[in-house]
Amino acid sequence: MTSSSKRPVPAPSGLSDAVAEDLALYREKFRRRLPESLDELHGPTQGIVELPLHMAWSGMTSYDLEKPRQRMGLYRTVLHEGLRDDLPRYLNQELLLQLWPVLRTLVGRSVRAVWEDAFPQLASHIRAAA
């Protein structure tokens, strides 16, 4: 299934029409950035990663993947701020799956919902980690 044919993540019920529409547009922004498959994520698994300013505009720009907190911070930043071409470059499939049970609690609801809807294997990793 291509990312352009993935169904939009529904907004929570009980919201006004305007708020629900804004939330749907916000989630669509993240959905459009998704890779076709997690197999595309071939980013680094070790060393120092330098993020460009369009992603690291408000904080750290350099992350040491050997340090768990920095690794988690890098993934959180890339998921929120990365563009479609950034995701395969900076994220690694194995690391994302490994980090997801905790990382999902650190990202916004929209990011979490979009990624878990598009990639059921992320949700299965949550159950496996529990």
Side-chain angles (χ1 to χ4, degrees), residues 6 10-11 31 64 66-67 69 98 102 106 114 121 126 129:
K6 292 176 183 165
R31 192 191 65 74
D64 184 347
E66 305 303 319
K67 297 180 178 179
R69 290 182 69 155
Q98 174 189 340
V102 173
L106 302 175
V114 166
Q121 59 268 52
I126 298 163

Side-chain angles (χ1 to χ4, degrees), residues 44-64:
T45 59
Q46 56 189 357
I48 306 294
V49 175
E50 299 283 339
L51 290 182
L53 288 178
H54 74 270
M55 280 192 287
W57 54 270
S58 69
M60 291 177 56
T61 58
S62 181
Y63 296 84
D64 184 347

Side-chain angles (χ1 to χ4, degrees), residues 22-126:
D22 287 348
L23 182 57
L25 288 172
Y26 185 65
R27 287 183 177 184
E28 182 64 17
K29 172 182 88 166
F30 292 110
R31 192 191 65 74
R32 284 189 203 140
R33 297 176 183 181
L34 291 173
E36 297 291 323
S37 163
L38 292 182
D39 292 336
E40 293 178 26
L41 305 179
H42 296 290
T45 59
Q46 56 189 357
I48 306 294
V49 175
E50 299 283 339
L51 290 182
L53 288 178
H54 74 270
M55 280 192 287
W57 54 270
S58 69
M60 291 177 56
T61 58
S62 181
Y63 296 84
D64 184 347
L65 291 176
E66 305 303 319
K67 297 180 178 179
R69 290 182 69 155
Q70 287 189 28
R71 185 172 50 238
M72 197 70 73
L74 169 75
Y75 272 64
R76 183 173 183 257
T77 299
V78 173
L79 289 172
H80 276 274
E81 304 297 338
L83 302 176
R84 185 174 179 85
D85 291 341
D86 295 322
L87 301 177
R89 182 177 181 178
Y90 294 102
L91 300 179
N92 178 278
Q93 178 182 1
E94 289 179 34
L95 267 180
L96 179 65
L97 290 169
Q98 174 189 340
L99 297 174
W100 192 255
V102 173
L103 183 60
R104 71 181 302 275
T105 68
L106 302 175
V107 298
R109 289 181 192 157
S110 293
V111 170
R112 179 175 53 245
V114 166
W115 278 81
E116 289 181 353
D117 184 62
F119 304 112
Q121 59 268 52
L122 291 173
S124 67
H125 256 67
I126 298 163

